[in-house]
Amino acid sequence: MRWLPARLVERRVETPTAQTLLLEVPGWPAHLPGQHVDIRLTAPDGYQAARSYSLAAPADGDRIELTVQRVPDGEVSPFLIETYREGDPVEVRGPVGGWFIWRPAQTEPVLLVAGGSGVVPLMAMVRARRAAGSRAPFRLIYSVRTPTDVFYADELRRRVRDDAGLDVAYVYTRQAPEGWRGEPHRLSLADVNTHGWPPDLEPLVYVCGPTGFVETVSDLLVGLGHPARRVRTERFGPTG
């Protein structure tokens, strides 16, 4: 893979700390939902910094979407959120990844489990399902700190209403919305058992989020009887 020049076309605010960036990348080779890219910045003095970001939407010609959450003291995300402007250049390399992907030809039930910004590649799968007219049943369990931290909140509400076969359940860990039944808590066995698919349906499971979250959820799923080979994971941790 080689680095390709890209420029910012549009941005959308998702949360107080996250934005979706629409980039135009001439010569983009297309990608599958669940893959990611590397973004590289080059300073005037030649210093370079690169980070990986999940693709947030299906391929659309030479345009790709990334949803970036600002990392305190980060080198790349603060620039992308606060300084990067329409028309400004960056470099993109990808797509990367061949295991954590969903193909529209797949027909088995799908369980998506997201922790925080781990929802990004899973949203690409949700969007790809609709774009392909797939009838594969999808369930998303989205663990997030507070309602204001939910990525794609309006779109998810709309998709639950309009996309037949898609269900979304939320788990709030710090503050739940007014009128929410129950108390804020970390995602539990009861949540996975209630909102996920039973293992006898042999769903394909995708789990994405911080390393500790992914390990906990994977253990819960295997404990419920889901074969480890059908649980695909993508994790992230603090940058160095």
Side-chain angles (χ1 to χ4, degrees), residues 41-62:
L41 309 178
T42 302
D45 63 1
Y47 175 78
Q48 294 182 321
R51 294 291 183 271
S52 295
Y53 292 100
S54 294
L55 290 150
D60 181 18
D62 286 341

Side-chain angles (χ1 to χ4, degrees), residues 18-216:
Q19 296 179 8
T20 291
L21 309 179
L22 177 61
L23 303 179
E24 188 167 63
V25 190
W28 182 249
H31 60 270
L32 292 169
Q35 292 186 302
H36 61 275
V37 298
D38 297 327
I39 298 291
R40 184 168 70 179
L41 309 178
T42 302
D45 63 1
Y47 175 78
Q48 294 182 321
R51 294 291 183 271
S52 295
Y53 292 100
S54 294
L55 290 150
D60 181 18
D62 286 341
R63 295 191 172 190
I64 63 173
E65 286 190 27
L66 315 174
T67 301
V68 178
Q69 184 162 36
R70 190 186 189 285
V71 177
D73 302 321
E75 283 190 301
V76 175
S77 64
F79 172 84
L80 294 176
I81 294 293
E82 300 169 1
T83 307
Y84 194 36
R85 295 291 179 262
E86 290 187 18
D88 287 353
V90 293
E91 292 177 287
V92 174
R93 182 173 63 185
V96 182
W99 169 247
F100 193 81
I101 58 173
W102 180 78
R103 299 177 185 273
Q106 296 171 206
T107 58
E108 64 266 66
V110 172
L111 174 59
L112 311 172
V113 187
S117 60
V119 75
V120 176
L122 308 185
M123 192 63 179
M125 298 177 190
V126 169
R127 289 167 167 167
R129 173 186 180 272
R130 175 60 183 265
S134 169
R135 298 177 64 88
F138 268 41
R139 289 183 177 178
L140 167 64
I141 305 175
Y142 188 2
S143 175
V144 65
R145 292 179 178 179
T146 74
T148 59
D149 294 311
V150 176
F151 288 19
Y152 321 119
D154 291 340
E155 182 179 352
L156 283 172
R157 280 192 292 270
R158 186 173 67 253
R159 289 190 179 279
V160 168
R161 182 193 66 202
D162 298 339
D163 292 7
L166 170 66
D167 294 307
V168 179
Y170 295 92
V171 174
Y172 297 98
T173 62
R174 295 192 179 179
Q175 178 188 342
E178 186 176 351
W180 188 259
R181 296 176 60 183
E183 296 295 325
H185 63 278
R186 292 187 181 277
L187 190 142
S188 67
L189 180 66
D191 295 315
V192 177
N193 198 33
T194 300
H195 302 296
W197 296 108
D200 59 332
L201 292 182
E202 299 184 346
L204 192 55
V205 186
Y206 298 86
V207 185
C208 187
T211 296
F213 174 87
V214 170
E215 292 175 349
T216 297

